[in-house]
Amino acid sequence: MPNQNVHYGKLMSNIDLLERLVSEASPEKPLPNEWVVTIYFYTALHVVEKKLHAEKNIHSKDHTDRFKHISEHYSDILPTYQSMKNDSMTARYKSRRITPEKVEETKENLYTICREFREANIINRLNTAHGVGVIRQVPSPVSPPITDTDLSDAK
């Protein structure tokens, strides 16, 4: 059964992949939006699994089991998580184009989950992967920005 360190390693591996894609992108070779959305979703999945294991000693068997655990323990993020899962499914299995706006929305959803779980290090790593650099505040249209001080006062 994977533990929180395994999930942390997986989510960081996803961010490393994202960083490579961003660094290789150019006007001639744009980011593959379908895969960026999928990377965001699977990063969120491992953020959630890391939290479930650390706080509840739970490991989900599959997506259905994970959905149940999120519903029971972290219902505040359920709509955000479900939206990311749906976007990832659309990106992988439907022939609809994933727009840059959808990529940005999915990225903001990932930030929302990271904020909810007080994962400033993951937010900063994502910012680095996007070429933004580490910043003390991450703006969000969903919630006010948080700072490292806010995170140290977390539950």
Side-chain angles (χ1 to χ4, degrees), residues 4-153:
Q4 62 190 15
N5 294 328
V6 170
H7 290 294
Y8 184 78
K10 293 277 189 184
L11 72 91
M12 285 300 170
S13 178
N14 287 339
I15 296 171
D16 288 344
L17 175 58
L18 177 67
E19 189 169 36
R20 280 196 307 275
L21 290 173
V22 168
S23 71
E24 294 171 3
S26 69
E28 300 80 36
K29 185 180 171 189
L31 277 173
N33 290 346
E34 294 76 11
W35 288 109
V36 173
V37 165
T38 300
I39 291 168
Y40 287 151
F41 168 66
Y42 278 101
T43 301
L45 180 150
H46 287 291
V47 169
V48 168
E49 282 295 319
K50 177 180 170 286
K51 186 76 161 181
L52 282 167
H53 188 272
E55 290 188 354
K56 312 290 182 193
N57 199 29
I58 292 172
H59 175 72
S60 307
K61 300 181 300 214
D62 53 30
H63 289 293
T64 303
D65 196 36
R66 186 173 305 103
F67 190 83
K68 180 185 80 146
H69 295 313
I70 294 170
S71 297
E72 291 172 357
H73 302 289
Y74 306 113
S75 60
D76 289 354
I77 69 155
L78 190 60
T80 303
Y81 184 85
Q82 185 62 48
S83 175
M84 292 184 76
K85 182 174 185 256
N86 292 343
D87 292 341
S88 176
M89 298 287 286
T90 296
R92 289 177 289 145
Y93 301 114
K94 300 193 175 165
S95 58
R96 287 187 238 143
R97 183 175 167 268
I98 301 296
T99 65
E101 293 78 20
K102 180 53 77 177
V103 171
E104 188 62 28
E105 176 187 319
T106 307
K107 178 176 80 172
E108 286 303 320
N109 284 340
L110 176 55
Y111 282 163
T112 297
I113 290 172
C114 289
R115 277 190 202 90
E116 182 69 25
F117 289 167
R118 305 296 195 217
E119 295 283 1
N121 61 330
I122 297 169
I123 292 171
N124 282 328
R125 184 67 180 82
L126 282 163
N127 286 336
T128 301
H130 286 100
V132 175
V134 176
I135 58 175
R136 309 255 340 136
Q137 294 186 7
V138 182
S140 168
V142 178
S143 61
I146 59 172
T147 64
D148 288 342
T149 304
D150 296 330
L151 295 176
S152 64
D153 295 336

